[in-house]
Structures are given as structure tokens and as C-alpha cells.
Amino acid sequence: MALATQRFIEQNGLTDELQLAGSVCGDGPYDLMSTLMYYVGQYKAGKKLNMPVVMPLILKGMCDSNPYMTDHQVSDYIKPQFLETGILDWLNEKNKTTDDITDAWKEQYKNGTTADQDQGNGYGSDYFHAVLNDDGTSTLGKMMRSETLDYFSNLYDNYKDSYTSASGIPLPTHRGLMEDLHFALESNNMTIGWQHQHPIFMYHSYDVTVVPEVNRERAGNTIGDWVIKLHASGYLQYDHVGSGRQFYLGLEEFNAIRALANAPLHPTKEDVSNIRTEYGSNSLDD
């Protein structure tokens, strides 16, 4: 949200009115394509998705609001059996936290579902074993339709060494079910498509698997001189929620806010470089 807000303010000439000094961004999915490529790489390495709710959440957002996705629905990309866990209803209701959803999936893996059991609408105790792990996690292979996994696996194979570079992954040359999702994800890329005018402090914990560090890597390659990378090594034992909590309660965020408070309203790249140098000794990565 911080990076999207900064982009909106800068693109609409609101810097003076709102006194924008810059932003402090933490563990954000600035580039959804790079995030998905990371997930594919994890899947190919035999690793699980620690917070599988992210995929239906992204896809629901795309299908609900992105113009490229008006003719598509989440079930075009995710296996029906995974959706039968009730995930889309939970997202619409907004009553469950991500931890609540993980706990619900653990329970479904163990006991199935008992809703309307008298009418035969429940699922047996092993029904969700095909799409869930016993700890409430999943994998891309268990969640995604084969067509979805094949499309993005092919992209990963072709661009695994360059998808976080400034050039990234080329857009499709035509429209289609998977191509439209590709277009939609890239249209939400916060790291490209605007002229930056203020410093962006960017924190990311290296070991986060939910919103991976490739987001900051891509931002550093596309936004370049306006990005100031905040120190993350103290939070290696945490994943997304834990590392964010520790950061926003810690010294690094305080130093970033102090830097922005002292920054000129219309900084140059040299000003940003000076900020990077001044705060680099105690709060920044190389």
C-alpha cells in the first residue's frame, strides 16, 4: 500500500499538497509475476506454500477488478477440489485471519467437512488430502490446474535467471486464458511504469516465503537509485507476519522515518544517495 500510495501522489502532482517525503515499504508484493515465479521455483524444488491462501487471494483480486480478467473466474486456474474447502466464501466474508484459514485447513485435512452431513453434502476425512498438507499448507501442484502450472512453469524455465532483472519477463503476444492472467499480474506491477520523485525505504526479510525477497530485488533493478534497502538480517528466523511485526516495532523503521522527516520535499538522486550513505552504517544493506 505504501508504494502504491506514493505512486498515486507523484503521478497526480500531490506532493506539495500532501507534503510527501517518501515511503517506508515492508515485505510487499510489488511485482506479482516475480512472486509467482518464486513460488514456481519453490514447487520445482519440492517445497510447499506456507501460506497457500495467497494464491486464491491474488486470483480473486484479479478476477474481481482487473479488466483483463472480466471473462474469467478463479476456478479457471485453481482446482475445484481446492475451492471446495470454502476458501472463496471465507475471503468474501472476511471473518477469518490467515491463521484461522490455516487452522481450518488442518481440520479439513484431518476430519473432512461435516456441513449438512445429513444431506450428504460433507466430505470424508481423506477428501482434501489431494489438495492440502496435514499442517494446513499446500503446494502449487496440489492447488493449481495443470494448465495454469504448465504455463507459468514454462515461463520460469525460460526466465528463471532473469525474471528479477530490469527487463523482467516479456508480455504475451496474444490474449488467452493464461495470457490474460499474465497481463493482469503485470498490470499490477508497482516497480515499473512511473517516474519516481522521492526516496523509497524498502525492507524485506531474506527468508520470507510468503512475499519473497525477489520483490525487493526486482524493485532495486527497476526503480534503482530511489530505493534504499533496509537491513533485514536480524529477522531471518521469521516469515512474513513475524518479520513485519519485528521491523515495524524496531529501530530500522524509526531511522527510515527520521531520514524522511529531514529530507527535502523535492529531492534529487544525489539527496537520496546522501541519505543512503548517512544511514547506511547502522540500518542499511549494501
Side-chain angles (χ1 to χ4, degrees):
M1 288 296 293
L3 194 59
T5 301
Q6 177 170 337
R7 182 173 74 166
F8 179 86
I9 292 172
E10 292 182 350
Q11 287 182 327
N12 289 277
L14 299 173
T15 291
D16 291 337
E17 179 180 348
L18 299 178
Q19 296 289 290
L20 175 69
S23 58
V24 181
C25 305
D27 273 3
Y30 318 116
D31 179 1
L32 292 176
M33 274 299 297
S34 288
T35 300
L36 185 51
M37 290 297 97
Y38 172 86
Y39 289 162
V40 172
Q42 292 290 96
Y43 168 71
K44 286 178 171 288
K47 297 181 180 179
K48 62 188 179 183
L49 277 173
N50 289 326
M51 196 181 288
V53 66
V54 170
M55 284 309 305
L57 187 61
I58 290 173
L59 287 165
K60 183 179 183 304
M62 296 295 103
C63 291
D64 285 352
S65 62
N66 194 283
Y68 287 109
M69 302 293 285
T70 54
D71 295 328
H72 310 309
Q73 52 192 349
V74 176
S75 58
D76 292 332
Y77 304 97
I78 292 183
K79 293 177 179 178
Q81 192 171 357
F82 186 87
L83 297 179
E84 286 168 352
T85 65
I87 180 57
L88 293 183
D89 289 336
W90 299 339
L91 294 178
N92 282 324
E93 293 162 0
K94 298 182 175 65
N95 292 325
K96 292 184 183 293
T97 67
T98 54
D99 287 341
D100 292 336
I101 290 173
T102 298
D103 289 341
W105 279 334
K106 289 179 186 177
E107 179 64 21
Q108 288 179 345
Y109 183 94
K110 181 179 179 181
N111 296 315
T113 60
T114 57
D116 300 324
Q117 192 172 35
D118 292 341
Q119 286 73 42
N121 295 331
Y123 297 105
S125 60
D126 62 349
Y127 182 77
F128 292 110
H129 290 190
V131 294
L132 295 172
N133 297 325
D134 60 359
D135 59 356
T137 64
S138 189
T139 69
L140 282 188
K142 287 187 171 186
M143 294 174 60
M144 310 302 289
R145 287 182 177 273
S146 59
E147 303 92 327
T148 313
L149 190 58
D150 288 346
Y151 179 86
F152 289 100
S153 291
N154 287 335
L155 284 179
Y156 177 83
D157 290 341
N158 290 328
Y159 298 100
K160 61 184 176 183
D161 296 325
S162 61
Y163 69 84
T164 61
S165 68
S167 57
I169 298 173
L171 287 170
T173 57
H174 61 277
R175 299 285 298 272
L177 181 61
M178 298 304 156
E179 290 80 6
D180 285 352
L181 177 56
H182 187 162
F183 278 120
L185 293 172
E186 191 61 14
S187 72
N188 280 267
N189 190 340
M190 291 288 105
T191 73
I192 59 174
W194 55 301
Q195 183 64 46
H196 312 96
Q197 303 168 25
H198 296 85
I200 302 164
F201 280 93
M202 194 163 284
Y203 161 81
H204 230 102
S205 182
Y206 297 122
D207 271 6
V208 166
T209 60
V210 179
V211 185
E213 204 266 341
V214 295
N215 285 278
R216 186 176 72 168
E217 185 178 343
R218 182 80 198 284
N221 289 329
T222 54
I223 301 173
D225 293 338
W226 295 98
V227 170
I228 302 174
K229 296 180 180 180
L230 285 164
H231 186 63
S233 61
Y235 308 119
L236 293 181
Q237 69 270 40
Y238 301 103
D239 208 316
H240 182 59
V241 176
S243 64
R245 183 183 299 116
Q246 292 298 314
F247 167 70
Y248 285 111
L249 293 175
L251 180 63
E252 289 84 357
E253 189 203 16
F254 173 80
N255 283 338
I257 293 173
R258 183 176 63 177
L260 293 179
N262 294 323
L265 192 59
H266 297 282
T268 65
K269 288 185 178 181
E270 182 179 358
D271 292 326
V272 178
S273 178
N274 291 336
I275 294 172
R276 184 182 295 107
T277 299
E278 180 179 354
Y279 288 88
S281 61
N282 61 5
S283 65
L284 307 178
D285 286 329
D286 293 330

